[in-house]
Amino acid sequence: MASTSSLALSQALLARAISHHGSDQRGSLPAFTGLKSTGSRASVSSRRRIAQSMNKNRSLRPLVRAAAVETVEPTTDSSIVDKSVNSIRFLAIDAVEKAKSGHPGLPMGCAPMAHILYDEVMRYNPKNPYWFNRDRFVLSAGHGCMLLYALLHLAGYDSVQEEDLKQFRQWGSKTPGHPENFETPGIEVTTGPLGQGIANAVGLALAEKHLAARFNKPDAEVVDHYTYAILGDGCQMEGISNEACSLAGHWGLGKLIAFYDDNHISIDGDTEIAFTENVDQRFEALGWHVIWVKNGNTGYDEIRAAIKEAKAVTDKPTLIKVTTTIGYGSPNKANSYSVHGAALGEKEVEATRNNLGWPYEPFQVPDDVKSHWSRHTPEGATLESDWSAKFAAYEKKYPEEAAELKSIITGELPAGWEKALPTYTPESPGDATRNLSQQCLNALAKVVPGFLGGSADLASSNMTLLKAFGDFQKATPEERNLRFGVREHGMGAISNGIALHSPGLIPYCATFFVFTDYMRGAMRISALSEAGVIYVMTHDSIGLGEDGPTHQPIEHIASFRAMPNTLMFRPADGNETAGAYKIAVTKRKTPSILALSRQKLPQLPGTSIEGVEKGGYTISDDSSGNKPDVILIGTGSELEIAAQAAEVLRKEGKTVRVVSFVCWELFDEQSDEYKESVLPSDVSARVSIEAASTFGWGKIVGGKGKSIGINSFGASAPAPILYKEFGITVEAVVDAAKSFF
């Protein structure tokens, strides 16, 4: 039973939350069991300040309405709901305790809203986690993943059995320390880096809105699902969440409903030490509908009413702020940072069991709770079956649209799509690879139904506009040009959400290559979560010229070559650009980065789309017996320099092989025989040239080889002067080659 001081602090904290809204309408306080008051968490003076803050704001108008407690028919009696909610809590508690690692606080606090979502609201088929028209759920606060694993277990997903719960955070388990979509069917996106999950949810909701606008008919609605998310204070603090939520409001994503777990606790303590803004007002300014559920601990009807209201608002996304108690039910650790990221401990687990009246053994789900949740298997099968019948009728009436949508759902590309990619000869006019990229983008958009994307306010510089389509906007969601504004990090994470919505959605996003620094976190999650986003990165070197070192990438190529499951392309001309896109489109579980030039480049003899597929290949060679005197290796704009240097050396009687190393990762995948045919081990005379850091080139040129590059920041000057001053020249390559003779 809670002590008097416990209840006082519980009420004071809720009062502070209310005062942040400028309202003195406290309503009913959350029922709370067992909160221990400590001087470090809320002293008498701090409670006095809270009370004073309340009094100061009593005259202010409420900024956000609380959820109206309408008469909402629950799916079952409250006793089974209580038992189900506690089942979620204790599955999380027990798994974290067994692992001696994890975050029990969020699942304990968010169990009520999560239960109502998964048991009463969401549409899904647990036996087919990939059913197209399912509702999507994202746990943006991914550290609380035991909440999600408990829900999947109760709902009947085969991916999370009791044994999987017992293997939480262990080697080879399907219940890793943060949600991973590639490990656990039923997990939509990989979350953990705070803020990225809500941005992924924006991408998922964008995909639904776009596909619904393109394919639904007045007599056939085949795309109709919601995206739900839970985010916490940490997500709110991260800038990416504001970037993405700003776009969600602008785009009017009415089927995006986000629950803000408002528990006022982060790792360092109470959020009042660093986070005191009015989140409600901010989201209203971003164009969201905002509802406040005051009692997230036991206010089931408030939560139901909030969801009902959110669904009624179709022209904007909804933020449901749910005031909860982190670690709800723990007598000595609830409402403290100590319950955030550590196991409760054996004694506190026992105390919590006693406090919440939970007589069951660890990992035991009561039979009546199992029985209650078991209905989701037949109900889910019926939902999918009904939708399949609807789609079959749609296919008969609208065969062309159905074929396109089926391509997006399955990821099966139309036959012969790659033939749309342009090809070039040495006689074709030279051009910047960013312009050649635009030709490829527009060719692909005509033949690949799920191809869409945009730029971070640089479309006219990145050359990424799809000329046959308009802009995806609130009133025109069927269009395929995405305007992200200056929001690189949000752009990358939204693109991840789009890519993970359906196998055949192929998003691209663009900015200057140097500004990958702003979205590297999202790009890493692309690679980790197997989201095949295409990153169109222009202005790839000092070749961009006068903008200077703030805009000139140096270390970036090397850093992405070091990133697992990432294809780093640096094409030299039109054929290589087309080849990079051919690979990028087919690699649906690997993101691709295309580093493209601002300056004009020639169409080189010997380059080919087929060669790009090998990653590294020979474009010219006058040697015999696989024994050239020297091998010159280049990428991008420097492949031309290597080719010119080869001509100089050949005139002096040397045999020279010129190799394009357009994508190291693809070359690494080739057979040893092929690698030997390009870079024979007997030939140690190798020179590489790339207008970027030389880091990593040692493994290509070998211990005796030489690498020409830039290992300092760039400078502001016209590109030709920069190339001369930094030694990225034909003369430098020739001199390096001659050092071997």
Side-chain angles (χ1 to χ4, degrees):
M1 187 169 176
S3 68
T4 303
S5 61
S6 299
L7 290 173
L9 180 54
S10 175
Q11 293 168 353
L13 288 165
L14 181 66
R16 189 196 64 188
I18 296 172
S19 73
H20 282 181
H21 297 278
S23 171
D24 64 348
Q25 299 175 2
R26 293 181 52 191
S28 58
L29 290 170
F32 183 77
T33 351
L35 174 64
K36 183 177 181 180
S37 175
T38 63
S40 62
R41 298 302 310 136
S43 65
V44 173
S45 60
S46 70
R47 291 198 295 271
R48 187 178 297 120
R49 288 195 302 272
I50 293 165
Q52 289 170 347
S53 173
M54 279 191 64
N55 291 332
K56 186 185 297 182
N57 288 302
R58 283 183 185 278
S59 61
L60 299 179
R61 177 181 63 86
L63 299 173
V64 178
R65 65 174 297 281
V69 185
E70 306 172 31
T71 305
V72 181
E73 281 296 323
T75 59
T76 187
D77 64 87
S78 60
S79 62
I80 195 66
V81 174
D82 287 336
K83 204 180 242 189
S84 177
V85 167
N86 279 334
S87 293
I88 296 168
R89 288 183 175 126
F90 280 100
L91 286 175
I93 290 169
D94 295 339
V96 172
E97 192 63 28
K98 186 174 187 298
K100 303 301 179 189
S101 171
H103 300 75
L106 183 145
M108 294 168 73
C110 289
M113 67 178 96
H115 162 82
I116 289 170
L117 268 179
Y118 264 80
D119 188 50
E120 301 180 14
V121 176
M122 286 175 56
R123 296 176 302 172
Y124 55 88
N125 180 2
K127 299 307 177 186
N128 180 11
Y130 305 108
W131 168 45
F132 168 73
N133 206 42
R134 68 192 182 277
D135 289 334
R136 271 71 169 175
F137 174 78
V138 175
L139 183 61
S140 188
H143 54 273
C145 56
M146 265 310 307
L147 174 74
L148 192 42
Y149 299 147
L151 291 165
L152 295 178
H153 177 65
L154 292 174
Y157 284 76
D158 294 332
S159 55
V160 185
Q161 303 294 320
E162 181 180 327
E163 187 58 31
D164 298 306
L165 298 175
K166 292 177 178 178
Q167 293 302 309
F168 178 53
R169 289 188 160 220
Q170 304 308 302
W171 177 263
S173 78
K174 292 185 178 180
T175 50
H178 288 83
E180 298 173 0
N181 61 294
F182 53 93
E183 288 286 358
T184 315
I187 304 293
E188 300 290 350
V189 298
T190 296
T191 59
L194 294 176
Q196 287 207 47
I198 184 61
N200 296 160
V202 172
L204 291 168
L206 181 153
E208 193 278 342
K209 186 178 179 80
H210 173 68
L211 296 176
R214 279 178 64 181
F215 296 107
N216 284 347
K217 304 293 182 182
D219 62 341
E221 193 174 50
V222 290
V223 183
D224 175 26
H225 51 266
Y226 284 83
T227 301
Y228 300 95
I230 291 178
L231 67 159
D233 289 305
C235 295
Q236 294 284 18
M237 294 183 218
E238 288 285 359
I240 184 175
S241 65
N242 198 70
E243 292 182 16
C245 291
S246 174
L247 283 167
H250 171 74
W251 287 326
L253 302 180
K255 286 188 174 178
L256 172 60
I257 300 174
F259 293 79
Y260 166 31
D261 177 27
D262 171 43
N263 63 39
H264 294 280
I265 297 293
S266 61
I267 292 176
D268 277 354
D270 195 292
T271 54
E272 68 182 359
I273 64 176
F275 187 59
T276 55
E277 68 185 45
N278 191 309
V279 173
D280 311 323
Q281 286 184 322
R282 175 160 62 87
F283 270 77
E284 286 185 324
L286 293 176
W288 286 57
H289 181 64
V290 180
I291 307 169
W292 179 26
V293 173
K294 297 178 183 179
N295 179 3
N297 295 332
T298 59
Y300 305 138
D301 282 346
E302 286 184 64
I303 296 169
R304 293 181 181 114
I307 297 170
K308 182 176 181 180
E309 179 180 331
K311 285 191 167 188
V313 178
T314 59
D315 63 338
K316 59 179 66 176
T318 294
L319 180 76
I320 302 176
K321 175 178 174 176
V322 187
T323 298
T324 66
T325 301
I326 190 170
Y328 180 89
S330 170
N332 302 295
K333 294 188 176 183
N335 207 60
S336 72
Y337 64 89
S338 61
V339 79
H340 170 86
L344 294 178
E346 185 178 342
K347 290 183 179 179
E348 189 65 14
V349 169
E350 187 62 26
T352 304
R353 274 183 152 75
N354 293 333
N355 202 26
L356 292 177
W358 194 251
Y360 304 97
E361 294 298 315
F363 298 101
Q364 182 181 354
V365 177
D367 289 341
D368 51 351
V369 173
K370 286 181 182 178
S371 176
H372 174 72
W373 279 82
S374 67
R375 75 188 195 284
H376 288 290
T377 294
E379 286 179 1
T382 299
L383 285 169
E384 182 173 357
S385 176
D386 290 348
W387 180 85
S388 296
K390 182 185 291 188
F391 185 80
Y394 177 91
E395 193 171 18
K396 288 181 180 179
K397 196 166 186 179
Y398 306 103
E400 291 184 11
E401 291 93 333
E404 283 200 358
L405 181 54
K406 197 177 274 188
S407 171
I408 291 170
I409 292 172
T410 64
E412 184 175 342
L413 294 166
W417 67 272
E418 70 280 1
K419 295 176 183 176
L421 287 166
T423 56
Y424 304 86
T425 68
E427 292 70 42
S428 301
D431 208 343
T433 51
R434 62 171 176 162
N435 295 330
L436 300 166
S437 164
Q438 186 175 44
Q439 295 174 22
C440 293
L441 289 171
N442 279 273
L444 289 169
K446 293 176 182 178
V447 296
V448 179
F451 200 72
L452 75 167
S455 167
D457 198 48
L458 288 168
S460 59
S461 291
N462 300 143
M463 309 305 292
T464 49
L465 280 179
L466 302 178
K467 298 176 181 178
F469 300 96
D471 291 346
F472 176 97
Q473 296 289 358
K474 185 174 183 177
T476 55
E478 71 279 3
E479 301 292 353
R480 288 157 72 176
N481 284 300
L482 305 179
R483 302 286 191 170
F484 289 104
V486 189
R487 302 180 180 93
E488 290 88 356
H489 199 184
M491 173 177 71
I494 289 169
S495 297
N496 285 340
I498 296 170
L500 293 172
H501 182 279
S502 295
L505 282 177
I506 305 176
Y508 66 89
C509 64
T511 187
F512 290 171
F513 191 28
V514 75
F515 296 141
T516 54
D517 288 342
Y518 283 123
M519 65 172 172
R520 185 176 299 269
M523 298 172 80
R524 187 176 189 275
I525 291 296
S526 296
L528 178 61
S529 62
E530 301 179 350
V533 176
I534 301 175
Y535 291 94
V536 182
M537 303 291 106
T538 69
H539 298 60
D540 70 335
S541 73
I542 59 169
L544 64 87
E546 293 85 348
D547 275 344
T550 61
H551 284 52
Q552 293 164 353
I554 298 293
E555 74 280 11
H556 298 71
I557 295 175
S559 71
F560 286 113
R561 285 175 179 152
M563 187 176 285
N565 192 38
T566 300
L567 297 178
M568 179 69 243
F569 292 95
R570 191 162 183 253
D573 63 3
N575 285 330
E576 289 202 341
T577 302
Y581 273 110
K582 181 181 178 183
I583 297 296
V585 167
T586 58
K587 292 283 189 176
R588 291 296 78 231
K589 292 189 175 184
T590 301
S592 297
I593 304 169
L594 278 68
L596 304 167
S597 74
R598 177 179 185 253
Q599 72 270 34
K600 184 181 292 187
L601 303 175
Q603 311 292 351
L604 296 171
T607 61
S608 68
I609 291 176
E610 296 72 27
V612 174
E613 295 177 10
K614 300 291 188 181
Y617 66 104
T618 300
I619 68 165
S620 70
D621 187 7
D622 65 344
S623 68
S624 59
N626 202 26
K627 292 183 179 180
D629 293 326
V630 65
I631 300 173
L632 306 182
I633 309 165
T635 74
S637 46
E638 291 73 66
L639 186 60
E640 175 194 9
I641 293 175
Q644 291 174 345
E647 291 305 311
V648 173
L649 292 166
R650 286 167 184 159
K651 288 177 182 178
E652 297 181 6
K654 302 300 181 183
T655 59
V656 184
R657 175 177 297 172
V658 180
V659 173
S660 169
F661 242 65
V662 59
C663 181
W664 291 19
E665 298 77 28
L666 291 178
F667 186 77
D668 286 344
E669 294 175 2
Q670 306 310 311
S671 66
D672 290 341
E673 291 76 15
Y674 178 79
K675 293 176 185 176
E676 181 69 16
S677 74
V678 176
L679 298 177
S681 54
D682 289 343
V683 180
S684 60
R686 303 178 187 180
V687 180
S688 69
I689 181 166
E690 184 172 62
S693 169
T694 59
F695 186 84
W697 273 105
K699 82 168 191 176
I700 307 299
V701 301
K704 297 181 180 180
K706 297 185 179 297
S707 295
I708 298 170
I710 305 172
N711 292 312
S712 65
F713 291 116
S716 178
I721 293 175
L722 291 171
Y723 268 71
K724 179 180 178 181
E725 293 295 331
F726 281 100
I728 311 298
T729 63
V730 171
E731 292 78 15
V733 176
V734 170
D735 289 345
K738 286 182 176 180
S739 71
F740 295 112
F741 311 137

